[in-house]
Structures are given as C-alpha cells and as structure tokens.
Amino acid sequence: MENLDVMVLRTLRDWRQAGKRALLTTVVRTWGSSPRPVGSIMALADDGAVVGSVSGGCIEDDLIARYSHAHAKNDQGEEVPPGAPPRLVKYGITADEAHRFGLPCGGTLELLLEYDPDAALLADLVAELEQGKLMQRTVTLANGAVRLNEAKAPDELKVNDTELTTTFGPEYRMLLIGAGQLAEYLATMAKFSGFAVTLCDPRAEYRTAWSLPGVEITTEMPDDAVLAFRPDRRSCVVALTHDPKLDDLALLEALQSEAFYVGAIGSRRNADARRDRMIEHFDQTAESLARLRGPIGIYIGSKTPPEIAVSVMAEILAVKNGVTLPREMEVARAKGLQQLAMS
C-alpha cells in the first residue's frame, strides 16, 4: 500500500485531467477528540467516487451528499460554480451535531474545501512526490491560487487568515534484513501502514520462499544495502536474521543515519551479546548504541510470527508517531519483572 496522501493526490489529478469536477478536503483544525489528525485529506469526484478520509467515516457521507455529483450545493443551497474559491466549514459545532455525525466526545472538525483544484499543479505535485521530494503546497484562501515549493524538513499544517500550507512528504520506508515468515508478516503490516518496504537477504535459500508482492528485494550484503537505502528521518531499519555476520554491520551503518528506528530481533541475552560485540570489536560505546533497540517490540506475550510482527509494528508506529510507551511495555523489562515475580 502506498502513502495515502500520494494516493489521494494522484487519484485527484487523474479525475481533474479527465475533466471531472472534484473537491479536495483537508482537516485544518480539530477540537476535542478527533478521528483523523490535522492535515488529513480526502478527494471527492463529481460522480460520487471518494478516496482518503477526513473523519474515519463520521462525516464522509454528508460531504459526498453535499459536494459531489457536479452540482454541489453550499450550506445556503446555492450551486457551487466550477473553480469557486475555497471554503472553511465546521462539523460538530454542537453536541447534537457531533452525536449525529458520530464524532467522539463532542469533537469538532474544521475543513478546507477546495473546488476543482488545478490539474496541472496537481500533476506537478505528484511528480515531485514520486521523486521522493518533500513538498509544500500553499493555498490562498481568497481565490484558491496554489503555489508549490520544495521543503527542507517535515512540518505541521499551518493556516492563518490568508493562506494554508500543507507539507507532503515522501512515504515512510522500511528496510528489513532477512527474509522469512516473520519478515513477511511485518512487511505486510508495514505496507498497510503506508510504508514502502525493501527486503535485503543475500541468502538464496531464504529468498526462494518469499511470496509477498510489492516489496523491493536486494541481494547485497546488508551493510551495503543500508548504504544504498540511504535511511532518512522517515525510515526504519529492522534486522531479523539472528546472524551477527549479517545483522551487526548493517545495524552499525543504520545507527550512523537519521533513521527514526533501528532495531534487531532476538532474546535479551542475544541483545546484550550484540551490544558487547559492538563495543569490543567495533569501538562502540553505550552512548553510541543508545538508539539501538533490542529486544524489539512491545510486550504482549507474543509467541508466533504474526504475533511478534504485531508487537514490532506497534513499537515502530509508536516511535514514528512520537508516543513514549510505558517502560513496563518493553520486552526486556516486562520479562525481567515476570522473572522477579516468579522467584
């Protein structure tokens, strides 16, 4: 599964290039508990087709009823002409409305509605994103004029009285070191979470059983694969081979990068042994290895490959989303507490 924003923008581009009227909807502000974060986007076509989500299903039906089918009506029942200027609308202003639309805890959403976005500018934006660039899209609220600029770093949506700026980034990426059943489950979950997945395994006997489509496969030695992968702040590197000859050098290269998550599968004993090897043989220190995660995952009592994959993916998503998990959910700490309780 590709990055959702890119998918929405690409579909919207195709609709507009085909001559369809369409609407781009962006979550601008939220109050209370909101099903979707600020910056979420959704597109509607004049035939009722929809891609993306701004409320997890709470208000999509109302948006489709109001603003699709080519002759969209505004709140006053007036037809919206092609290329009309953007509008800001709110849902869930009252408790009754929040309940009617299924918004939790009296939440309120403010949306920007852009009518018939320019097809050429959409094509330019999608082309830049497909090249892996980080892009800013700024909309002038008075007339809907759009300008595009390459961004230097990811940024939150910004809005003031005159314009709204959204930063669209390249998709998140995951590099898996080592094929196998666990890697297939983890890659599947990563793809459904919007990650582009690359698998590295120089061992032909392991690669022959790989059956998951849509994953780039490399046969380089893992440390070379990490260098070629060029991890950035939207990347994670996960070693799954249990083989120090394959994992250790790849992990060391990943730790030199900006990858937001670097970790390796294994028991507490193996994780401690890995750190000891790196300190003894590769001049590492406790400080230089502070970002290395292992044992990876959160403690959910997982035993089978799919359960372990759930555990690992949950930790990766928590780190990606800036969530600090309680220490009791760390695998090593949870198992240590269990041993103390049993002794």
Side-chain angles (χ1 to χ4, degrees):
M1 178 176 290
E2 65 184 337
N3 179 279
L4 180 58
D5 287 345
V6 176
M7 181 175 68
V8 172
L9 294 168
R10 183 184 292 120
T11 302
L12 179 61
R13 174 205 63 189
D14 294 344
W15 288 341
R16 295 293 294 131
Q17 288 181 335
K20 293 183 179 181
R21 293 193 60 186
L23 178 78
L24 176 62
T25 306
T26 305
V27 178
V28 175
R29 297 184 183 92
T30 65
W31 295 266
S33 180
S34 170
R36 296 284 287 143
V38 168
S40 299
I41 61 174
M42 180 181 76
L44 304 174
D46 57 12
D47 57 5
V50 59
V51 61
S53 173
V54 291
S55 75
C58 299
I59 62 175
E60 273 75 0
D61 286 347
D62 186 73
L63 285 168
I64 293 169
R66 285 206 215 182
Y67 301 109
S68 62
H69 303 293
H71 300 293
K73 300 289 195 299
N74 60 23
D75 292 339
Q76 289 72 47
E78 302 165 336
E79 184 175 325
V80 178
R87 292 182 58 241
L88 290 166
V89 298
K90 289 182 181 178
Y91 280 86
I93 298 172
T94 66
D96 286 344
E97 188 176 70
H99 178 74
R100 178 162 69 92
F101 290 116
L103 294 169
C105 305
T108 300
L109 296 174
E110 184 172 31
L111 309 174
L112 179 70
L113 309 182
E114 295 179 61
Y115 302 97
D116 307 315
D118 182 84
L121 286 173
L122 285 169
D124 290 344
L125 175 58
V126 170
E128 298 290 0
L129 293 173
E130 289 177 338
Q131 292 297 314
K133 293 183 180 179
L134 191 67
M135 297 297 295
Q136 281 188 340
R137 181 178 185 268
T138 300
V139 182
T140 302
L141 301 182
N143 57 17
V146 172
R147 65 179 185 272
L148 303 176
N149 295 289
E150 187 170 356
K152 296 183 187 289
D155 202 358
E156 302 295 327
L157 178 145
K158 294 181 180 178
V159 62
N160 55 36
D161 293 338
T162 61
E163 60 185 27
L164 176 142
T165 299
T166 309
T167 301
F168 294 104
E171 56 199 344
Y172 280 87
R173 298 183 297 143
M174 175 183 289
L175 175 62
L176 295 176
I177 309 297
Q181 203 174 26
L182 174 57
E184 285 208 27
Y185 285 117
L186 186 54
T188 300
M189 293 175 191
K191 283 168 60 62
F192 277 102
S193 299
F195 286 72
V197 181
T198 299
L199 172 75
C200 169
D201 202 323
R203 304 168 301 178
E205 63 273 21
Y206 284 84
R207 295 195 311 273
T208 54
W210 185 266
S211 61
L212 184 66
V215 172
E216 182 178 344
I217 297 177
T218 175
T219 61
E220 294 179 289
M221 289 300 293
D223 53 328
D224 292 329
V226 172
L227 290 172
F229 187 72
R230 299 176 63 188
D232 56 21
R233 284 177 290 177
R234 299 170 75 89
S235 305
C236 60
V237 178
V238 188
L240 302 174
T241 74
H242 295 280
D243 184 344
K245 298 189 300 296
L246 298 176
D247 287 349
D248 286 5
L249 290 177
L251 292 169
L252 289 173
E253 292 293 352
L255 288 171
Q256 301 301 312
S257 75
E258 293 185 319
F260 72 86
Y261 182 101
V262 180
I265 199 73
S267 66
R268 289 171 290 166
R269 179 179 298 176
N270 286 341
D272 290 340
R274 179 185 301 113
R275 287 184 169 85
D276 291 343
R277 282 196 308 272
M278 290 180 171
I279 290 171
E280 181 178 357
H281 299 295
F282 297 104
D283 298 324
Q284 298 298 301
T285 65
E287 291 74 21
S288 68
L289 297 176
R291 293 177 54 228
L292 177 60
R293 293 177 177 269
I296 54 175
I298 62 174
Y299 185 71
I300 56 174
S302 51
K303 301 292 184 184
T304 64
E307 289 179 349
I308 296 170
V310 169
S311 165
V312 174
M313 195 69 221
E315 184 181 51
I316 291 171
L317 291 175
V319 176
K320 165 186 171 288
N321 295 331
V323 175
T324 301
L325 296 170
R327 288 200 64 200
E328 288 73 16
M329 297 187 74
E330 296 175 3
V331 172
R333 182 172 178 81
K335 289 188 174 181
L337 292 174
Q338 278 187 341
Q339 284 185 340
L340 285 175
M342 295 171 61
S343 60

